[in-house]
Structures are given as structure tokens and as C-alpha cells.
Amino acid sequence: MKKGLVISGCVCILIVIVIGGVFMVNNSIEKKQSDRIAIEKERIEIYFKYNYKDIHNITITDVGTNPMGTDYIDGYANGDEKLDFSASLYDKHFENGVVVSAELGELAKFDVDKSVSEIEKLE
């Protein structure tokens, strides 16, 4: 009887440890993703403020991975949902892979946009 009780107690403790470990891993993954989104949001804002007229801020609406395995961030500029975009994150960071709405495209300053790395070198 005591042996069965000890085994049951060990199994319960093991289950609690496994559940706690899964919870900690999920929190760690979510924190890394939110940190990455914050960094990429800043890079996307740098890109739009330099390459487009009258862009003051961006709002993130969706983050995910497309079927080809490329991470993306969707959003819009200046609180206007008509000024929407989808930015692709190749390698480690956003550089200049972006699809914009026609309305946002009309605000372009240049025929060829500069990447975030090129903008950082200029400033």
C-alpha cells in the first residue's frame, strides 16, 4: 500500500514539473517573439519615415509565417487602415521587403526605396 502511494506521489510531482516546464518554455517563446516584434516595428518605422511622405507611426495588426516559411508583419500607417502594408522578415531583420496599398504607394518619395541598413549608414 505504501509503495503504491509513493509511486502515485512521484507521478503527481513529475506531472506538475512537466506542466511547469511547458508553461515556462511557452512564456519564454512569447517574450522572445514580442521582443522581436518591437525591434522589427522600429525598423519598419525607420523604413517608412525615410522612404514615404508624412509617415508618423505604424500600427501592427498581424504577425505570422507564410506558407513558404517567411515571417511577416502586417499593419498600417498613421492610424489610417487604407495605408496598409505587409513587411517580410528575411534572414534576421526587416530590410525592405514590403508590399503596400495603392494609397500608401502614392506617398513614396523615391522610385527605388532604400533598405533599413542603407538608411542607417546615411544617418
Side-chain angles (χ1 to χ4, degrees):
M1 183 73 171
K2 285 187 176 184
K3 189 176 181 181
L5 198 57
V6 170
I7 291 173
S8 295
C10 289
V11 169
C12 288
I13 290 172
L14 186 60
I15 290 172
V16 168
I17 290 172
V18 168
I19 290 172
V22 168
F23 180 73
M24 289 177 62
V25 167
N26 281 341
N27 281 346
S28 174
I29 290 170
E30 287 176 13
K31 175 150 177 37
K32 285 179 185 178
Q33 184 178 23
S34 69
D35 290 347
R36 183 175 185 211
I37 291 168
I39 290 168
E40 298 310 320
K41 179 181 180 191
E42 184 178 323
R43 292 177 64 84
I44 294 167
E45 281 186 343
I46 289 169
Y47 172 84
F48 278 112
K49 286 178 180 180
Y50 186 88
N51 290 301
Y52 292 80
K53 295 178 233 165
D54 302 321
I55 301 298
H56 306 291
N57 59 55
I58 64 166
T59 302
I60 303 298
T61 58
D62 189 26
V63 176
T65 304
N66 69 24
M68 297 296 290
T70 303
D71 293 334
Y72 66 85
I73 296 177
D74 291 344
Y76 53 89
N78 295 344
D80 184 350
E81 292 183 9
K82 291 180 182 177
L83 301 177
D84 63 321
F85 65 86
S86 182
S88 297
L89 310 179
Y90 296 104
D91 297 321
K92 293 184 179 183
H93 294 293
F94 170 77
E95 280 296 326
N96 64 349
V98 66
V99 176
V100 299
S101 65
E103 290 86 354
L104 184 53
E106 291 174 7
L107 300 177
K109 292 180 186 176
F110 313 108
D111 290 334
V112 178
D113 294 342
K114 294 205 181 306
S115 70
V116 176
S117 295
E118 291 171 324
I119 296 166
E120 289 173 340
K121 287 178 186 176
L122 294 172
E123 295 180 350

